[in-house]
Amino acid sequence: APSNVHAFTSPNSFSSSGFDNSWDMNSFKENFHIEIQSLDEREMVFDMVGIDASIANAFRRILIAEVPTMAIETVFIQ
């Protein structure tokens, strides 16, 4: 099960308490990394660490769209 997953609806969610939750590229570069759990010819299992759940979901959708699929075009029955 996923752990350390957080998402906020707005970067200003905590601005009244002095917490800056805005996007920072340098912070992203420092904290984001991928941990490969398993890898073989047909499958790769990995964790994206240090990334907001909404961005991880965007990556998931991109990967699903880009993975080649197979379609059966013609079937012959004898």
Side-chain angles (χ1 to χ4, degrees), residues 16-68:
S16 63
S17 63
F19 181 75
D20 182 14
N21 193 38
S22 59
W23 175 264
D24 179 44
M25 180 60 105
N26 291 327
S27 175
F28 178 77
K29 286 180 180 180
E30 289 175 15
N31 296 319
F32 177 67
H33 63 278
I34 295 176
E35 296 177 0
I36 298 174
Q37 303 301 319
S38 65
L39 175 65
D40 63 32
E41 292 177 3
R42 298 184 53 82
E43 183 178 76
M44 177 176 169
V45 177
F46 61 91
D47 294 332
M48 292 189 286
V49 180
I51 191 169
D52 188 77
S54 60
I55 297 173
N57 188 49
F59 279 130
R60 181 188 67 83
R61 289 173 168 261
I62 291 167
L63 290 171
I64 288 171
E66 295 299 320
V67 171

